[in-house]
Amino acid sequence: DTTHQNYGAAERQFLSFCDTYGFTPLLVSEDTLILFVTSLEARIKPQFINFTFAGVHSFHVSNSYNNPLIPGL
């Protein structure tokens, strides 16, 4: 469905970002997530930022990792 397609697009953007800048996608820090969102601000509308985070969350959960969007996990 459309939600899964959009999550997939967000995952691909995130993986591309991590590959470009040498980050490990499944071991991201809050700072890495901030850099990721900052890199997107010129390319996507602000209302899609939360959806992009949902895609990053989905990627982590589907790979049996903690949600990187919750501090302390």
Side-chain angles (χ1 to χ4, degrees):
D1 74 348
T2 303
T3 300
H4 290 285
Q5 289 173 346
N6 289 335
Y7 280 4
E11 288 176 22
R12 287 188 297 280
Q13 288 178 325
F14 179 66
L15 292 172
S16 176
F17 168 83
C18 289
D19 185 54
T20 298
Y21 295 101
F23 295 113
T24 303
L26 290 171
L27 299 172
V28 295
S29 68
E30 182 178 345
D31 290 339
T32 302
L33 292 172
I34 291 168
L35 289 172
F36 174 57
V37 170
T38 301
S39 77
L40 294 176
E41 74 177 340
R43 296 182 293 167
I44 67 173
K45 295 179 181 180
Q47 61 265 34
F48 293 115
I49 295 294
N50 283 340
F51 203 84
T52 301
F53 275 142
V56 172
H57 168 262
S58 173
F59 170 71
H60 280 78
V61 170
S62 68
N63 285 284
S64 301
Y65 280 76
N66 289 327
N67 181 355
L69 307 176
I70 299 175
L73 288 182

